[in-house]
Amino acid sequence: MSWSPDKFGFDTRAVHAGQSPDPSTGAVITPIVLSTTFEHSSPGQHQGFDYSRCGNPTRAVYEECIANLEGARFGFANASGTVGVTTIMHLLQSGDHVVAGDDMYAGMYRLFEQIFKKNGISFSYVDLSDSKLLEAAMRPETRMVWIETPTNPLMKMVDIRELADISHAHGALLAVDNTFMSPYFQQPLALGADLVMHSSTKYINGHSDLIGGVLITDNEELAERLTFLANAVGGIQSAFDAYLCLRSLKTLGIRMRAHDSNARTLAAHLETHPAVERVMYPGLTSHPQHDLALKQMSGMGGMISIFLKGGLPAVNSMLKSVKVFTLAESLGGVESLISHPPTMTHLSLPEDVRLSLGITDNLVRLSVGIENVEDIIDDLDRALDAH
Ligand code: P1T
């Protein structure tokens, strides 16, 4: 059965793509195949799987489903988002240059600066919310452009189509970290990107009970190289975690609609709150790139960043007072999380880099869950009034 995007809607494909009842038992739900290894009837002859690092039946079903949801044919499930990016960077070699967005999850900056720079790959960090700056940053040896959109934590966006055109004109690949939007709200491959990456730890799995990553492409040559790297680098996802992600995909659409609806209501409320200096949410008309959000995203997602009046003391008293929100790193789960990027997710950034980007001490990041929106709003109102 082909669950083609031309014929079936997102929610139908999220429930069914890649899946059919198990031929040996009739089980409707994809079994978790934990076997490390698979029988050969004679050397080299087997039923499609020989060793679970190279391929695993449960992982393969999940990879087909998530690729389908991004409108593509090839998916590669990783043990974490970080090892997914590590695998992508192994497409490059010493002497190559990467242009990356300046605002991104700090773990990627650490990976690029402290691991891949040592391997002879160079990186430029550019504010790509202005596409013209990409043109200026491209060098003859630029092989890849790496972006998050919206960015973590400042919620800046880049024009994927414009950046794809510029990257391709210079012979470089465009890779997009689509973690914040999920394929439900943003499909970078349809806008010209070559490769999509997710930290599936976040919205894809959505229940904050695993660490995972996934890479997706519709480019056959790239898929062949990623197949090699998945096996050679070995950063693959376990069958059990692939099963959890496959199960979670079934509710991705309804979860994203709930995150989006709650976040829109909360962002509008926070914008009127006297303790809040500024709200960064793509769905607000006050967001400097609201028009771009409307153009390339079909929803606004569940992530909000706010700058508080009253600096660090106000932040600390808010963070201590929340009850529905939990003070914790990560995002994209059904439960609301609150975090302080300067001292948590973005602590590994050098302070001068962090401050020059605008990640100031009064920044608070909200991952808005799917609880009742009245409870979410009351919780933050109480916490903001606490000092
Ligand atoms: O944690 P891991 O699955 O390895 O994914 C790393 C990663 C990649 N890309 C984005 C946009 C991310 O936000 C992350 C991880 N981020 C957090 C843990 C966080 O709280 O922001």
Side-chain angles (χ1 to χ4, degrees):
M1 175 80 186
S2 156
W3 296 95
S4 145
D6 303 337
K7 291 204 200 111
F8 296 98
F10 188 96
D11 289 342
T12 307
R13 291 181 284 124
V15 173
H16 294 289
Q19 296 155 78
S20 47
D22 179 42
S24 58
T25 61
V28 170
I29 294 302
T30 303
I32 308 172
V33 179
L34 293 174
S35 192
T36 306
T37 192
F38 299 83
E39 185 189 31
H40 291 227
S41 53
S42 61
Q45 300 299 311
H46 51 72
Q47 296 176 42
F49 297 97
D50 63 349
Y51 185 64
S52 271
R53 172 160 38 75
C54 320
N56 169 278
T58 312
R59 197 168 78 234
V61 172
Y62 163 57
E63 289 171 337
E64 188 174 338
C65 187
I66 181 75
N68 177 298
L69 296 181
E70 287 281 3
R73 288 170 293 167
F74 311 107
F76 302 88
N78 306 115
S80 67
T82 303
V83 87
V85 181
T86 301
T87 306
I88 292 178
M89 289 298 144
H90 281 297
L91 292 165
L92 306 177
Q93 58 188 31
S94 176
D96 289 350
H97 172 245
V98 176
V99 180
D102 59 351
D103 180 43
M104 61 181 162
Y105 176 57
M108 296 311 141
Y109 184 81
R110 179 177 56 203
L111 179 68
F112 297 164
E113 286 297 295
Q114 296 186 37
I115 309 286
F116 283 99
K117 217 165 164 175
K118 276 198 287 197
N119 295 352
I121 298 172
S122 59
F123 296 86
S124 303
Y125 303 96
V126 179
D127 181 359
L128 296 173
S129 56
D130 179 354
S131 305
K132 284 193 291 300
L133 296 181
L134 177 60
E135 191 72 59
M138 295 303 270
R139 300 183 194 160
E141 66 275 20
T142 307
R143 296 281 168 270
M144 186 178 289
V145 175
W146 170 262
I147 55 168
E148 272 177 28
T149 185
T151 60
N152 182 358
L154 293 173
M155 305 301 293
K156 290 198 293 192
M157 280 166 281
V158 303
D159 188 317
I160 298 173
R161 196 178 286 285
E162 278 183 15
L163 294 196
D165 289 345
I166 298 168
S167 305
H168 296 158
H170 291 264
L173 294 172
L174 177 67
V176 179
D177 182 335
N178 201 21
T179 299
F180 268 32
M181 281 297 116
S182 90
Y184 186 69
F185 284 138
Q186 179 169 267
Q187 308 231 324
L189 300 177
L191 297 169
D194 301 285
L195 187 54
V196 162
M197 169 266 168
H198 290 275
S199 167
S200 54
T201 313
K202 313 299 186 303
Y203 289 106
I204 301 274
N205 182 57
H207 295 75
S208 303
D209 53 7
L210 63 75
I211 299 286
V214 66
L215 310 179
I216 301 127
T217 183
D218 201 44
N219 174 319
E220 273 172 42
E221 193 231 307
L222 208 46
E224 218 169 279
R225 293 167 69 198
L226 290 171
T227 303
F228 168 78
L229 287 173
N231 187 32
V233 176
I236 49 95
Q237 188 168 44
S238 75
F240 186 74
D241 286 356
Y243 165 78
L244 286 176
C245 286
L246 178 68
R247 186 175 69 161
S248 296
L249 281 183
K250 294 176 193 294
T251 56
L252 182 63
I254 55 172
R255 283 187 284 111
M256 292 314 292
R257 293 194 284 276
H259 286 296
D260 177 270
S261 163
N262 282 356
R264 282 176 198 252
T265 308
L266 179 63
H269 175 78
L270 290 173
E271 209 169 31
T272 64
H273 198 289
V276 176
E277 185 180 285
R278 189 151 53 100
V279 181
M280 296 300 289
Y281 182 67
L284 293 174
T285 52
S286 60
H287 191 291
Q289 296 171 290
H290 178 62
D291 290 345
L292 175 60
L294 291 172
K295 188 174 87 168
Q296 74 180 11
M297 288 149 40
S298 57
M300 301 298 165
M303 297 302 297
I304 303 175
S305 285
I306 57 176
F307 293 91
L308 293 192
K309 292 178 189 162
L312 206 48
V315 168
N316 283 332
S317 92
M318 179 190 191
L319 297 180
K320 266 200 273 178
S321 310
V322 287
K323 296 213 162 45
V324 176
F325 278 82
T326 303
L327 175 60
E329 301 203 5
S330 203
L331 58 109
V334 290
E335 69 293 321
S336 290
L337 298 180
I338 190 166
S339 71
H340 183 232
T343 54
M344 297 170 74
T345 52
H346 289 68
L347 183 63
S348 67
L349 274 188
E351 197 177 355
D352 56 329
V353 174
R354 172 172 73 77
L355 291 175
S356 71
L357 287 172
I359 305 175
T360 46
D361 287 345
N362 63 337
L363 177 67
V364 169
R365 193 189 72 183
L366 305 169
S367 171
V368 183
I370 66 166
E371 302 94 338
N372 293 105
V373 72
E374 302 77 23
D375 296 331
I376 289 175
I377 289 176
D378 286 352
D379 194 45
L380 290 192
D381 278 351
R382 214 175 23 242
L384 285 167
D385 290 344
H387 64 286

